Amino acid sequence: MLNAAKSEFTVANAYRYDRRSAARWLISHVMRYKWFFLATLLLYIGTYGAYTASEALIGQAIGAVIAPERFALLPTIALAILGLKLADSILSLIGLLSIETIAQRLEVDAREELYANLLGKSQTFHNQQRVGDIMARATDDVQQLNGMINPGVAITLETVIGIAVPLVFIASLRFELLLVPTLFVALYIVSVIGYVRRLNPMVRRQREQFGKMNAGLEESISGIEVVKASAQEAFERRKFRLAASLFRDYFVRQGYIEARYLPVLLFGIAFGLAFMHGMWLYQQGVLTIGDVISFMGIMGVLRWPTFASIFSISLVQAGVEGARRIVSILNTETELDQNSGGYNQPIKGEIVFENVSFGYDRNHALRNVSFIVRQGQIVAIVGQTGSGKSTLTQLINRTYDATFGRVLIDGVDVRDWDLNALRSQIGKIEQDVFLFSRSIAENIAFGMPNATQEQIEQAARMAQAHEFITSFKDGYQTLVGERGVTLSGGQRQRIALARAFLSNPRILILDDSTSAIDSATEDEIQKAIRQVQQGRTTLLITHRLSQIRWADMILVLDAGVLVASGTHDELLRRSPHYRRIFARYDMALPPIEISAAD
Amino acid sequence: MGFLFDGLDAEAYDRKYDDRQLVRRIVGYFQPEARRMLLVGFTMLLDTLSRAVVPIVISRGVDEVQLTQDSALIVTYGLLVAALGASAWLFNFIRRSLTAEAVGNVVLKMREDAFDAVMKRDLSFYDQFPSGKIVSRVTSDTQAFSSVVTLTVELIGQLLLVAVLMVYLLFVDLVLTLIVILMMPFIIGVALAFRKVARFTVRHSRRVRAEVSALVQETVSGISVAKTFRQEHAIYADFLKLNRRSFWINLRMGFVFTGIFPLLNLIVAVAMTAIVYFGGLRMNAGALSAGDWYLFAQGVALIWFPLTSIASFWSQFQLGLASGERVFALIDSEPKVVQRDNRVLPALRGEIEFANVQFSYTDKERVLDNFSLHIRAGETLALVGHTGAGKSSIGKLIARFYEFQAGRITVDGVDIRALDLSAYRARLGVVTQTPFLFDGTVRENIRYGKAGATDAEVERAAYQIGNGDWLKSLSNGLDTEVGERGSSLSMGQRQLVALARVMLQNPAIFILDEATASVDPLTEALIQEGLDAIMKDRTSIVIAHRLSTIRHADRIIVLKKGQIIEQGNHEQLLAQGGHYAELYNTYFRHQSLEYIEAQRRAAETHAN
C-alpha cells in the first residue's frame, strides 16, 4: 500500500544516513566524523595517561627525597610532573574541542536532515499533522543530541578511560594492588545503575508535577474573573495546595535518593582498604613508601570519573529517546498514489459528490453526502464545528480520499486525475493565512515568482488590498512578520486573495471564518471575495450572512450529514435547520413546506 | 562543575527591599524548621571534619608505620580511614536529607502564602501583570529560591572544609601553606573572568538560538503553502543559511565553555609542582615528614573545586535574594478592593444605582466621570460605545472587581461597599468576552456555577439553552472533555457552556461582555436563544456587539468618554442620526439583514 519512498524534494549531494533504527542512525551520524572521534579517544587516553603518571611521580618524588643519593633528581622529577600536567591540560583541551565539534555538527546535520525530509513529504502529510508542533518537538530533541555527545558521551568516555588507565598504572606498580580498586569498580558499576534506575523516575515525576502545578495555577489566574464571580476562591486554594504538596513530596524523595548516593561510601571504604593494602605491602618490603604514596595518588584519580558519571547517564538516555522520535518522523510515509499518467486537462469546474462517506468505525466525518456543483457556481458551506465542512473540501483536492462513494471533477473521479494536475488547478485559502517574513509583494507573488509589479498590483487591487498596502511607508516592499508590520486578520485574508488571483486556480476553496470588527472592512472583504469568485467554481466555508444569502447554492451540514442543499429561498421554505438561523431577524419567514424526503 | 556554570543568564532586577530585610524575612520562614537546620549545621561540621581528617590520618599513618612496622597499626589506620570515609558519607546523607525536607517545607509555605495573596487581589492587579508572570513568581521564583538555598548550604559545607584544612596546614608548615594560599586568588580570578566571558557568549548564543527556532518554526508552518506553490527550494536555501550560521555561534560558545577546566587544572598543576619541589627541599632539611608532604599534595586536590564554586557564589546568592524578593513583593502588595461590612441581601432584586461615580483604572485618564445611571430590577440594558468609552467598566464595578474613586454605587439601595462579597457574587452571573473554561468535562464546567449542584440540575440548565440542541454537536455530550482553556471546543460552543453555567447559577444580575469573534450561523442562533432565556426577568447588563442583542434590549445606553450621551431604543436612536447612528454604521451595519439585501441589489444594478 505504501509506495517506495518517493520524495517531492531532494537536496543534491546529501549525505545518506542509516534510518533503520535510532541507534544505527546516531552511529551513522557520528561516523561521519570518525576521525574526530578517534582523535578524541586517543587524546583522552593520553590525558589520563599523563595525569595518572604525574600523580604517580609525586610518590616517586618522595622516594627520591628519602634516599639522599637520589635527592639531586628532585628538580628533574618536579619538572617532569609539571610537564606531564601541562600535557594533560593541553591534550584534554584538544580532546574536548574535538568532541564538542562532533556534538555541534550532529545537531546541525540532524536539523538539516529533518528539514529536508519534511520538505520532501507529501501535502497529505502536511495537512494531517500539525507540522509546527512536530518541528517544535524535533527542535528540542535535536538540541538534546548535542548535549548527549558533549557532555554525555564525552563524560562516559572519560569515565571508562579514567578508570581503565589508572588501573593499568596500578597493575604496573604491583599487580596485587589491583585487588581493592577492581572490587570497588565492580561494586560502583552496580550501585550506579541502581541509583539511576531509582532517580530518573523521581526526576520525571517531579518535573511533571511541576508542570501540573503550573498549569493549574495558570488556569486559576487566567480565569480569575470566573473564579471570583463564582465565589470559588476556596476551591481553587484547595486545588493548588494539593498540587504543591505533592510536588514537595517528590522533591523530598528525590533529595533522599540523591543523598544516599552510594559510590561515595564505596570510595571512602575502598580508599581506606587500599591504604591498608599498600602499607601492608610496604611492611613486606615489596613496596617503597614512595610507591605507597603513588598508589594513593592514583586511587585519588578514580574519584572524579566515578562522580561525574551520574550526569552522563541521563543525558545519553534523553538523547537516544529523542533520536528515536526523530527517526520515526523521518520514516513516516503518507502518500497517495501520484497517478502521474492520469487525466490531465484544464479543469472546467464541475464538482459531483456521489454518496460520499469519510471516516472509520464510529467516527464518520461525512456520511453519504451527495450534491452537484455546476461550473462557475458559488457554494456556501454552513455548519457547526465538527460538522464536516473542512473534510468535504479536503476530499476535493485529495488531501484525503473518500472511504466510500466517489468525488468527480468534470465527470472524472479525482482518483483518476493526475494528482499534480489536479492540485495545481485548485486553490485553497486557509482560515489562518500564512505569510512569510518577506515583503508583501513577495508574498503575493509567492506562486508566480516572475510576476511583474504591475501584475502584483493588479491582483492587490482586485483583492481590495491596494489601499492599505500603499498606506504603509514602504508600500509593497513592507516586510511582514516579526521584523515588519503586524497585519490584521482582514488584511492577511486580502493578501491571500491577491495571491490566489495571481495563481488563477479553476476551483477556489476559501475558509472564510474570520470576523471583521467594523463594517468598512467587512464591505472591503465582501468586494474582494466577489471579485475572486468571478468565473471560477468557488466553495466558501463561511459564517457571513452575506455570503450565505447570495450563494448560488448553500450546503448545510450537521454532524457529517448534508441536511439541506439549495438556494436561500428554497431552504427557507424547506429546511428547519436553515430557518432557525434567520428566526431572530425580525423578518417574515415564508410558510414551511416539509416534504417526505427531509 | 555545576556551580561554575550556574546563573550565567540572570537578568538585571530592580531591587526594592534591602539585603538585610530579605535575609531576615527568609530566616523567618525557616524558623519552623529551626531544629532541622540546627541538625544540618551539626552534621555538616561532622562531615567536614571527617573528610578533612582523612588525609591527616593517612599522613600520620605513613609516618608511624615507617617508624614502628607494627601490623596491627596498619590495620587500625586502614580501618580508621575507611570508617572516616563511611561516616563522612553518613553525615552527608543526613545533612542532605534534612536540607531537602526543610527547603521543601519552606518553599511549600512560601507558595501557599503567595497563592493566598494572589487570590485576594482585585482585578487591577491582574491587569498589571500577565498571568505568566504571576505564575512564575509563585512557582518558578520559589523554585529558584529553593535551588539557591540548597546550593548555599552545599557551598558552606565546602568552604568549611577549605577553612578547616587550611587551619591545620598552617600549623604543619607555614611555607607550603603560603604556596597554597598564593594559588587561591588565581583560581578565583580565572573563574570570575571566565564567568564574565561566558555570560556574554551565552546571551549571544541564546539570542541566535531563538532566531533559528523562530525561523524554523515559521518556515515549517509554511511548508504546506510552499508546497502548494512549488517553492521548496527557496525556503530550503533560507533555512540552510541560518542553520549554518547558528552552528558557528554555538561552536564558539562550546569552545569557551570547554576551555575553562584545562585552564584551571593548569593553575593547580603549577601549585602542585611547587609543593612537590619545595616540600621535597624542606623534607630534605628535616622540617617536614613524608606524611605531611602527602597531606599538602592531597589538600590542594581537595580545595580547588570549592574555590571555583566561590566565584559563582555571590551572583547565586544575589539571584536567590532577587527571587525571594519577587515572591515577597507579591505577598505584601495591598488589595485595593476592601469591604466595610458584611451585609447579605437575602432577596436580591437587582436594582442598581450609580451616583456621580468617578473611576479610572490607573492614575491616567478617567474612564467614568461623574457617571450616574439607574437600572431597574429585571431590566435588560445594552451598552454601546467605542473602545474605552467605559462600557466594560460599568459591568466590572457592579461585580466589584475594581475600586472606584468617588461617588456611590448601591444595589437594592445598599452601598456596594457594605456587602458580603461572597454572598453577593454568588448572585451575580458574569460571562466574559472570551469565555473561560477549566480543564475538565462540560458537566464540570457548568457545575462550577453552583457548588454542589446535582447532575439533574446541571442537565436542566444545559437544556434550557436553545433546547439543548447544542449538546448534540459535542463529541460526548455533557461528558465531553473541553481541553485546556476549552481548546477542544469551538468559540461558539464555549460561549454556550458559559451560558449554561450562568443558567445553573440562576443569578439576580447578569453581566455579559459579548464576544466579537465570528461564530457559525447555526451556533449563533443557539447562543441568541440562550441569551433570550437568561435575560428574561433578570437584570441584565450587556456590553453589546451583536445587533440582534441591541435590538432586543429594553434600553440602549450610548457611552462616550465615560458619559451617557444618548438613550433609547434602536429605531429612536437611529432616527436621531447622532453618535448611535455613527456606531451603527461602523460596527453593526453589516449584521443587518436589510443592509445585506440592499447592498446586493445595489451591486447587481451597478453591474447591469
Side-chain angles (χ1 to χ4, degrees):
Chain A
M1 200 160 93
L2 292 172
N3 292 335
K6 229 188 310 182
S7 175
E8 295 176 8
F9 169 77
T10 41
V11 185
N13 302 324
Y15 191 93
R16 298 210 56 74
Y17 301 101
D18 187 339
R19 293 194 192 143
R20 280 172 295 167
S21 78
R24 274 191 246 244
W25 183 72
L26 283 170
I27 293 176
S28 72
H29 265 276
V30 175
M31 275 301 112
R32 189 173 172 183
Y33 305 99
K34 51 178 171 288
W35 298 115
F36 277 94
F37 193 70
L38 200 61
T40 307
L41 223 61
L42 294 173
L43 287 165
Y44 270 20
I45 293 177
T47 302
Y48 268 92
Y51 179 47
T52 315
S54 72
E55 291 295 311
L57 262 185
I58 291 175
Q60 295 310 312
I62 296 185
V65 172
I66 291 177
E69 66 274 11
R70 295 209 286 155
F71 182 66
L73 285 174
L74 182 63
T76 322
I77 296 180
L79 240 59
I81 292 175
L82 185 62
L84 280 171
K85 285 202 185 284
L86 194 66
D88 161 29
S89 286
I90 294 177
L91 290 176
S92 91
L93 180 67
I94 303 178
L96 279 171
L97 293 183
S98 170
I99 200 162
E100 176 68 21
T101 309
I102 299 179
Q104 295 292 350
R105 288 286 343 184
L106 177 56
E107 183 183 343
V108 164
D109 294 341
R111 200 178 288 131
E112 263 176 43
E113 188 190 354
L114 187 59
Y115 195 74
N117 182 277
L118 283 178
L119 269 181
K121 292 217 192 301
S122 63
Q123 272 282 35
T124 315
F125 174 84
H126 285 288
N127 279 315
Q128 283 175 344
Q129 317 274 2
R130 302 255 299 273
V131 185
D133 289 348
I134 296 179
M135 201 58 193
R137 243 192 322 145
T139 308
D140 260 352
D141 291 336
V142 165
Q143 217 169 313
Q144 274 186 328
L145 293 178
N146 188 331
M148 177 185 81
I149 301 287
N150 189 15
V153 169
I155 292 187
T156 310
L157 277 182
E158 210 184 309
T159 305
V160 170
I161 294 175
I163 290 179
V165 168
L167 287 181
V168 166
F169 270 82
I170 291 175
S172 71
L173 200 59
R174 186 79 200 178
F175 193 74
E176 50 223 86
L177 281 176
L178 275 180
L179 178 65
V180 174
T182 321
L183 217 62
F184 163 69
V185 168
L187 286 174
Y188 155 75
I189 292 176
V190 168
S191 79
V192 157
I193 293 177
Y195 175 74
V196 168
R197 219 173 262 163
R198 252 173 303 137
L199 183 69
N200 282 351
M202 197 48 60
V203 169
R204 203 181 316 137
R205 233 174 286 171
Q206 211 199 141
R207 202 177 335 142
E208 277 167 11
Q209 187 58 25
F210 188 78
K212 270 190 222 152
M213 183 176 64
N214 248 9
L217 184 58
E218 170 94 38
E219 204 185 48
S220 306
I221 291 178
S222 300
I224 193 69
E225 268 193 73
V226 177
V227 171
K228 283 188 182 286
S230 316
Q232 290 273 32
E233 286 101 325
F235 176 74
E236 295 298 315
R237 186 174 293 131
R238 255 198 310 275
K239 221 168 56 170
F240 180 72
R241 285 197 172 183
L242 230 68
S245 299
L246 196 57
F247 177 80
R248 188 268 317 260
D249 293 341
Y250 289 147
F251 175 79
V252 172
R253 274 164 60 186
Q254 181 177 332
Y256 288 157
I257 297 177
E258 283 175 336
R260 212 182 13 224
Y261 187 59
L262 278 181
V264 173
L265 175 65
L266 291 174
F267 188 77
I269 296 177
F271 208 63
L273 294 178
F275 181 57
M276 199 161 66
H277 195 189
M279 292 307 279
W280 187 70
L281 286 178
Y282 164 72
Q283 213 196 24
Q284 305 294 324
V286 172
L287 291 176
T288 66
I289 205 70
D291 288 335
V292 175
I293 296 191
S294 293
F295 175 50
M296 297 313 289
I298 300 173
M299 280 294 289
V301 173
L302 287 176
R303 192 184 276 126
W304 169 250
T306 57
F307 172 67
S309 56
I310 347 170
F311 302 119
S312 57
I313 296 177
S314 37
L315 280 171
V316 171
Q317 261 182 335
V320 172
E321 273 173 34
R324 211 169 280 142
R325 284 191 287 265
I326 295 176
V327 171
S328 86
I329 296 176
L330 291 173
N331 286 334
T332 309
E333 298 280 342
T334 42
E335 258 199 64
L336 294 177
D337 177 11
Q338 292 280 329
N339 202 4
S340 13
Y343 188 75
N344 184 349
Q345 293 295 322
I347 290 181
K348 291 199 214 89
E350 182 192 70
I351 305 174
V352 176
F353 268 55
E354 265 180 21
N355 298 325
V356 170
S357 294
F358 182 79
Y360 299 93
D361 300 333
R362 287 178 308 153
N363 298 329
H364 279 261
L366 287 177
R367 277 174 234 262
N368 214 4
V369 172
S370 301
F371 60 85
I372 300 174
V373 174
R374 308 213 181 285
Q375 177 181 342
Q377 276 194 321
I378 298 159
V379 182
I381 304 175
V382 176
Q384 297 181 305
T385 314
S387 55
K389 310 189 294 272
S390 306
T391 312
L392 195 152
T393 58
Q394 282 165 337
L395 294 179
I396 296 176
N397 71 346
R398 284 196 82 195
T399 302
Y400 294 105
D401 271 344
T403 45
F404 188 80
R406 297 199 305 164
V407 176
L408 308 166
I409 294 188
D410 290 353
V412 177
D413 190 325
V414 288
R415 282 175 281 220
D416 295 331
W417 276 79
D418 174 315
L419 191 58
N420 213 21
L422 182 70
R423 286 203 181 142
S424 58
Q425 298 187 71
I426 298 178
K428 200 149 186 218
I429 298 180
E430 301 285 346
Q431 188 179 1
D432 280 310
V433 171
F434 183 84
L435 297 176
F436 290 96
S437 291
R438 297 166 177 211
S439 70
I440 292 181
E442 282 174 304
N443 269 291
I444 294 177
F446 195 65
M448 204 167 123
N450 300 321
T452 62
Q453 180 68 8
E454 256 186 62
Q455 288 172 309
I456 294 173
E457 287 193 20
Q458 170 68 335
R461 256 183 259 271
M462 302 273 269
Q464 310 299 311
H466 183 74
E467 274 78 43
F468 81 78
I469 293 177
T470 46
S471 77
F472 294 132
K473 188 170 54 119
D474 297 318
Y476 280 85
Q477 298 313 312
T478 313
L479 279 181
V480 175
E482 264 185 44
R483 285 169 286 144
V485 295
T486 321
L487 298 172
S488 71
Q491 290 169 329
R492 298 171 81 91
Q493 194 177 26
R494 281 175 277 167
I495 292 186
L497 286 170
R499 194 161 67 187
F501 270 119
L502 272 190
S503 57
N504 201 15
R506 303 308 311 143
I507 296 178
L508 179 64
I509 301 172
L510 173 57
D511 192 333
D512 176 38
S513 316
T514 52
S515 53
I517 307 284
D518 64 277
S519 301
T521 314
E522 188 66 26
D523 284 348
E524 295 288 292
I525 294 181
Q526 292 310 337
K527 248 191 260 169
I529 294 181
R530 253 203 305 281
Q531 292 279 27
V532 85
Q533 283 167 182
Q534 308 272 23
R536 47 184 128 242
T537 310
T538 311
L539 288 102
L540 293 165
I541 300 176
T542 183
H543 297 162
R544 298 181 203 281
L545 271 191
S546 47
Q547 304 293 354
I548 300 171
R549 172 76 183 83
W550 296 109
D552 294 323
M553 175 155 86
I554 302 164
L555 299 173
V556 182
L557 288 168
D558 184 14
V561 175
L562 186 64
V563 295
S565 64
T567 65
H568 171 77
D569 293 312
E570 288 168 8
L571 291 184
L572 270 185
R573 276 197 296 274
R574 282 207 318 249
S575 162
H577 273 90
Y578 194 72
R579 288 168 74 90
R580 204 167 179 179
I581 295 173
F582 292 91
R584 289 178 92 256
Y585 277 94
D586 295 338
M587 58 178 262
L589 294 178
I592 187 159
E593 310 158 9
I594 308 213
S595 73
D598 288 329
Chain B
M1 177 160 104
F3 293 163
L4 194 54
F5 296 130
D6 282 340
L8 286 172
D9 56 349
E11 288 170 7
Y13 184 69
D14 213 358
R15 299 276 302 281
K16 281 184 281 173
Y17 296 68
D18 73 49
D19 284 9
R20 222 175 318 154
Q21 273 183 307
L22 278 178
V23 172
R24 220 180 308 152
R25 193 86 179 256
I26 294 172
V27 168
Y29 267 92
F30 272 96
Q31 243 159 350
E33 302 293 319
R35 235 178 2 136
R36 277 206 184 92
M37 293 316 282
L38 225 64
L39 271 172
V40 165
F42 189 56
T43 50
M44 191 188 301
L45 202 62
L46 291 176
D47 171 21
T48 307
L49 287 175
S50 309
R51 278 195 285 155
V53 166
V54 166
I56 297 171
V57 167
I58 291 186
S59 79
R60 288 282 133 260
V62 165
D63 291 338
E64 285 214 27
V65 172
Q66 271 189 296
L67 294 171
T68 60
Q69 308 279 327
D70 184 357
S71 306
L73 208 60
I74 294 177
V75 171
T76 315
Y77 271 103
L79 288 180
L80 191 57
V81 170
L84 283 170
S87 65
W89 174 85
L90 184 66
F91 292 133
N92 190 43
F93 167 66
I94 297 176
R95 172 181 69 79
R96 292 183 71 166
S97 302
L98 290 175
T99 310
E101 283 173 12
V103 170
N105 287 339
V106 166
V107 167
L108 180 60
K109 184 78 178 44
M110 277 177 94
R111 284 183 175 150
E112 286 174 352
D113 287 348
F115 183 83
D116 287 343
V118 165
M119 281 288 121
K120 280 215 260 306
R121 298 289 87 82
D122 62 270
L123 244 56
S124 62
F125 172 77
Y126 297 97
D127 292 341
Q128 226 189 327
F129 296 105
S131 64
K133 268 223 169 83
I134 301 175
V135 170
S136 112
R137 288 206 183 188
V138 178
T139 55
S140 302
D141 279 334
T142 45
Q143 188 73 355
F145 174 77
S146 102
S147 311
V148 169
V149 170
T150 314
L151 244 51
T152 309
V153 172
E154 266 304 319
L155 190 69
I156 293 177
Q158 306 242 1
L159 291 181
L160 214 58
L161 178 66
V162 172
V164 168
L165 262 177
M166 291 311 291
V167 165
Y168 186 77
L169 289 181
L170 266 171
F171 283 106
V172 173
D173 189 297
L174 193 59
V175 172
L176 289 184
T177 311
L178 282 177
I179 295 179
V180 175
I181 293 180
L182 211 62
M183 167 184 87
M184 290 191 193
F186 282 100
I187 291 190
I188 299 182
V190 166
L192 281 172
F194 162 72
R195 284 177 65 83
K196 212 175 243 150
V197 172
R199 198 172 296 138
F200 179 72
T201 327
V202 163
R203 215 172 287 160
H204 190 41
S205 143
R206 201 149 287 201
R207 215 178 309 137
V208 175
R209 257 188 203 277
E211 257 183 70
V212 173
S213 220
L215 183 69
V216 168
Q217 272 289 85
E218 182 203 282
T219 44
V220 162
S221 308
I223 284 185
S224 179
V225 177
K227 291 185 89 61
T228 307
F229 292 103
R230 324 305 267 145
Q231 289 293 313
E232 292 100 329
H233 278 277
I235 27 178
Y236 187 70
D238 282 348
F239 165 79
L240 217 58
K241 226 189 312 179
L242 189 58
N243 199 27
R244 300 253 159 104
R245 181 168 141 233
S246 94
F247 165 68
W248 287 110
I249 292 180
N250 285 323
L251 190 65
R252 194 166 63 211
M253 179 174 93
F255 279 9
V256 167
F257 271 68
T258 45
I260 185 62
F261 280 111
L263 187 58
L264 288 174
N265 280 337
L266 201 56
I267 298 175
V268 176
V270 170
M272 187 69 95
T273 312
I275 285 181
V276 167
Y277 183 68
F278 288 107
L281 289 180
R282 290 178 71 70
M283 207 175 116
N284 195 41
L288 204 63
S289 73
D292 288 337
W293 192 15
Y294 169 77
L295 184 60
F296 271 94
Q298 279 298 293
V300 167
L302 275 178
I303 64 175
W304 82 269
F305 182 67
L307 286 180
T308 58
S309 311
I310 293 179
S312 63
F313 174 68
W314 188 246
S315 54
Q316 282 292 84
F317 185 63
Q318 290 295 312
L319 260 180
L321 286 186
S323 305
E325 172 164 33
R326 279 196 284 273
V327 179
F328 294 134
L330 184 65
I331 297 177
D332 291 343
S333 49
E334 289 291 317
K336 290 213 193 95
V337 168
V338 177
Q339 295 299 89
R340 269 192 255 127
D341 200 352
N342 266 336
R343 291 187 56 180
V344 175
L345 297 169
L348 184 63
R349 284 177 303 114
E351 180 183 351
I352 304 171
E353 170 105 40
F354 280 69
N356 307 103
V357 172
Q358 317 259 54
F359 172 65
S360 46
Y361 286 104
T362 57
D363 297 319
K364 293 197 189 113
E365 44 178 309
R366 206 165 283 167
V367 173
L368 292 177
D369 196 6
N370 206 6
F371 182 81
S372 300
L373 173 66
H374 178 244
I375 305 174
R376 291 186 298 276
E379 185 179 10
T380 299
L381 215 63
L383 303 172
V384 299
H386 286 302
T387 327
K391 313 188 293 283
S392 355
S393 319
I394 295 171
K396 298 210 207 272
L397 287 176
I398 296 176
R400 199 88 178 104
F401 283 151
Y402 292 88
E403 180 60 87
F404 51 98
Q405 282 79 42
R408 232 165 89 93
I409 301 179
T410 60
V411 177
D412 280 8
V414 178
D415 189 332
I416 199 173
R417 288 188 177 118
L419 295 173
D420 176 302
L421 272 187
S422 271
Y424 173 58
R425 287 205 179 124
R427 304 288 291 133
L428 214 63
V430 177
V431 175
T432 50
Q433 204 176 72
T434 37
F436 189 84
L437 298 183
F438 295 96
D439 194 359
T441 62
V442 170
R443 197 187 290 269
E444 286 163 6
N445 270 282
I446 298 177
R447 209 195 299 268
Y448 204 75
K450 181 168 164 207
T454 63
D455 279 349
E457 288 174 305
V458 170
E459 276 157 36
R460 193 158 20 128
Y463 277 95
Q464 282 178 293
I465 307 286
N467 276 333
D469 288 337
W470 63 285
L471 293 169
K472 291 192 217 130
S473 72
L474 295 170
S475 56
N476 201 6
L478 279 172
D479 295 308
T480 313
E481 290 284 340
V482 307
E484 230 180 85
R485 305 266 190 294
S487 53
S488 304
L489 302 184
S490 71
M491 272 305 287
Q493 286 168 329
R494 279 180 243 167
Q495 288 188 59
L496 290 162
V497 173
L499 291 179
R501 189 194 282 156
V502 169
M503 205 67 201
L504 177 66
Q505 193 184 357
N506 193 18
I509 301 174
F510 174 53
I511 301 173
L512 169 67
D513 199 344
E514 266 195 319
T516 50
S518 93
V519 155
D520 70 87
L522 294 161
T523 310
E524 176 73 30
L526 292 172
I527 293 174
Q528 293 296 330
E529 289 173 27
L531 282 178
D532 281 346
I534 291 181
M535 298 201 285
K536 198 152 76 110
D537 297 332
R538 230 184 281 274
T539 308
S540 305
I541 296 124
V542 182
I543 293 112
H545 292 113
R546 288 273 183 283
L547 186 59
S548 171
T549 316
I550 295 174
R551 289 170 93 150
H552 283 83
D554 292 328
R555 186 162 45 132
I556 302 172
I557 307 276
V558 182
L559 291 164
K560 186 172 178 176
K561 295 219 202 313
Q563 304 258 344
I564 303 177
I565 52 175
E566 291 168 19
Q567 280 191 52
N569 70 28
H570 171 75
E571 280 78 25
Q572 290 172 339
L573 291 171
L574 205 55
Q576 275 180 30
H579 193 60
Y580 179 78
E582 183 201 318
L583 289 169
Y584 173 79
N585 279 324
T586 314
Y587 298 117
F588 301 111
R589 185 180 63 190
H590 61 281
Q591 294 177 25
S592 151
L593 201 55
E594 295 100 346
Y595 178 75
I596 292 172
E597 308 260 347
Q599 273 292 65
R600 174 61 169 223
R601 283 183 236 289
E604 280 175 347
T605 34
H606 187 76
N608 290 344

